[in-house]
Amino acid sequence: KILNNKTFDVIIAGDLYSLSSASKYKKSHIIYDCREIYTELAAHHNKPFLKIILYWYEKYFLKYVNTILTTAESDEKLLQKKYHNISHLSWKIIYNYPARQFINKSLNLKQKLNISKEYITIVYQGVIHRGRGVGQLISVTKNNQNIISIIVGDGVDKDYYVQRAKNLNIIDRVKFIDKVPYLELFNYTSICDIGWLIIKSRGISNQLALPNKLFEYTFMGLPVISSPLENMQKIIEKYNLGKIVNENSTDEQLNAIEYIQNNPKEYAHIKEKINKKFTWDVQHQKFIDIINEK
């Protein structure tokens, strides 16, 4: 109804679910921001019929799309192969790089959260679903009395993980923060020591993940603990941004945390390197050029 009341030069469908509405306006330049391999999400792993429906839905509406954005070369190649018979699409890559942020140090978040300096503080930010490493983070917190974990976000499994932390008697060292506006998120990231990036490899979309939290953590100078997924591992190892660990091995994760804590100089370069290579500044003009394409 909103779209019907106005005319637009460009319409950006921000995900699969808004694609049908955006595609109705054939006089506009339609950009599809395909941030996931939607037919291969981990949540659809055991739902083959739903995956087929999503495939045909996406394929049908792509014929009205002019430009498709992906967040990694691997995603682009997979989708090009999947929809090889749709030849008119212009393919572009826009990475999940964060814009420069102002950190409000006057908030004194560590003090408000009752976190003293001797603790190792590990942050997870994002949706709270199973398969995103939240359970593993709670396990390493249980196994190392010097760790406090900060979990920022919301999701269908949040209550489950809150109860799990309570059952393990570590709820005082697992700080659950409700979902916050994006521009306020970095205030929490900035008070932490390590970013948590353990994603289960279930589903093609997860296997090809290159999530924005990787760049958000490192933008604040945090080394990351990451599972060995293709796109994440490639960047982390190339730029020495943290440690790659087995997604299911608590011992390996604890050893990686200890290594990072004992070798702070090895990761002192992170913030400067990320600010030069992986911020929105480096691709802002590319995005504007895509919008202006006709």
Side-chain angles (χ1 to χ4, degrees):
K1 289 180 179 179
I2 293 169
L3 291 174
N4 275 331
N5 291 329
K6 296 182 180 180
T7 58
F8 302 91
D9 298 310
V10 179
I11 296 177
I12 302 176
D15 52 30
L16 177 71
Y17 314 106
S18 56
L19 184 57
S20 59
S21 296
S23 298
K24 290 170 62 178
Y25 299 88
K26 301 173 184 62
K27 291 183 180 180
S28 302
H29 185 89
I30 308 298
I31 298 173
Y32 174 33
D33 187 0
C34 189
R35 298 184 301 232
E36 301 270 7
I37 308 298
Y38 287 103
T39 58
E40 302 294 342
L41 293 173
H44 305 154
H45 186 65
N46 295 316
K47 301 174 182 177
F49 185 61
L50 177 59
K51 290 167 71 172
I52 291 170
I53 292 173
L54 290 175
Y55 166 76
W56 284 107
Y57 169 95
E58 190 168 49
K59 183 177 181 180
Y60 176 80
F61 288 107
L62 278 179
K63 64 185 178 181
Y64 301 115
V65 170
N66 304 101
T67 302
I68 182 167
L69 307 182
T70 62
T71 59
E73 186 178 350
S74 56
D75 291 34
E76 181 179 290
K77 287 180 178 178
L78 188 150
L79 289 167
Q80 284 178 334
K81 184 177 181 180
K82 183 186 287 282
Y83 300 118
H84 64 275
N85 57 339
I86 305 176
S87 58
H88 71 278
L89 290 168
S90 174
W91 296 83
K92 308 288 183 182
I93 297 174
I94 294 291
Y95 292 99
N96 285 318
Y97 299 162
R100 299 186 185 278
Q101 304 293 330
F102 169 75
I103 303 304
N104 187 354
K105 294 182 179 180
S106 66
L107 291 174
N108 296 319
L109 287 176
K110 272 200 170 183
Q111 184 178 339
K112 289 180 181 178
L113 294 172
N114 195 26
I115 300 173
S116 55
K117 291 182 179 179
E118 64 266 22
Y119 284 103
I120 305 165
T121 312
I122 304 177
V123 63
Y124 169 86
Q125 54 196 48
V127 294
I128 304 178
H129 293 169
R130 301 190 197 198
R132 298 294 184 114
V134 177
Q136 284 298 121
L137 179 54
I138 290 173
S139 293
V140 300
T141 306
K142 170 65 175 176
N143 283 277
N144 187 329
Q145 299 297 316
N146 295 320
I147 290 175
I148 284 183
S149 54
I150 297 179
I151 299 171
V152 186
D154 204 353
V156 294
D157 292 312
K158 181 176 180 179
D159 290 343
Y160 166 80
Y161 287 118
V162 170
Q163 190 58 50
R164 181 172 173 182
K166 288 179 179 178
N167 292 343
L168 293 171
N169 295 317
I170 57 169
I171 193 63
D172 59 321
R173 292 192 293 114
V174 181
K175 312 287 185 179
F176 286 91
I177 309 298
D178 290 337
K179 185 166 59 175
V180 299
Y182 184 72
L183 295 180
E184 296 177 19
L185 179 62
F186 291 87
N187 293 317
Y188 289 93
T189 317
S190 66
I191 66 169
C192 297
D193 303 305
I194 296 172
W196 194 253
L197 196 58
I198 301 298
I199 299 175
K200 299 287 186 181
S201 59
R202 188 175 70 173
I204 293 173
S205 186
N206 276 12
Q207 292 166 20
L208 298 179
L210 187 60
N212 51 350
K213 62 172 65 69
L214 167 60
F215 303 108
E216 291 163 357
Y217 294 153
T218 51
F219 183 72
M220 289 289 106
L222 275 58
V224 297
I225 304 289
S226 171
S227 43
L229 300 182
E230 176 186 341
N231 288 323
M232 301 190 311
Q233 182 169 358
K234 191 185 302 181
I235 289 178
I236 290 166
E237 291 184 339
K238 181 176 181 179
Y239 297 101
N240 191 24
L241 302 178
K243 300 294 286 184
I244 304 297
V245 298
N246 184 304
E247 64 190 37
N248 297 310
S249 174
T250 301
D251 288 341
E252 201 170 314
Q253 292 156 15
L254 287 165
N255 289 337
I257 293 165
E258 184 179 356
Y259 180 87
I260 289 173
Q261 283 303 109
N262 291 336
N263 296 275
K265 290 183 179 179
E266 184 174 339
Y267 302 104
H269 68 283
I270 288 178
K271 191 167 187 177
E272 181 182 357
K273 188 166 285 187
I274 293 300
N275 272 264
K276 286 181 178 178
K277 287 183 172 290
F278 300 118
T279 62
W280 182 250
D281 295 354
V282 304
Q283 59 183 0
H284 171 79
Q285 189 55 50
K286 180 180 179 181
F287 183 66
I288 297 300
D289 291 343
I290 291 169
I291 289 176
N292 289 330
E293 246 182 29
K294 294 290 187 296

